[in-house]
Amino acid sequence: FEILQSSHSSSLQKICPWCQKEAQHTYVKPHMMRKNEYKCSLCIGSCCPCTNYAKCGALCKRFALYDDMLCAPCQAALFSSVAKPMSGLLHLGHDPHARRTEE
């Protein structure tokens, strides 16, 4: 993310988070408070670099008022790393979503 923020590429050949196809993404403009903007050449979806871009090299969705922080693979990796420790609670007989009944 910081690499693209400081010195952008005029275009990137990446998988689009909107249309899920590999396409050319053209640099649109820098942003002071948000990530740099890129447009997909196929679907014209607005994209930005993943916060973890230095490791994953992927793009994420950009919306009118905010940017996704992580691309789909990074979100999945984060979710699975959080979900694994929580799944142990269910195996111990504790279901955090179960209703308590008063006896």
Side-chain angles (χ1 to χ4, degrees), residues 7 20-21 27 31 36 39-41 43 49-50 53 74 76-77 80-81 87 91 93-94 96:
S7 63
Q20 301 300 314
K21 296 178 182 170
Y27 178 77
H31 290 273
N36 288 340
K39 289 274 187 196
C40 175
S41 61
C43 71
C50 176
Y53 188 85
C74 287
S80 69
S81 70
S87 67
H91 295 293
H94 174 71

Side-chain angles (χ1 to χ4, degrees), residues 18 31 34 37 46 61-68:
W18 293 102
H31 290 273
R34 295 174 62 185
E37 182 178 2
S46 186
K61 293 179 180 177
R62 196 166 190 286
F63 298 92
L65 298 176
Y66 69 95
D67 305 328
D68 274 354

Side-chain angles (χ1 to χ4, degrees), residues 17 35 46-51 58-62 68-71:
K35 298 177 183 181
S46 186
C47 307
C48 57
C50 176
T51 301
L59 298 175
C60 52
K61 293 179 180 177
R62 196 166 190 286
D68 274 354
M69 293 296 292
L70 299 171
C71 63

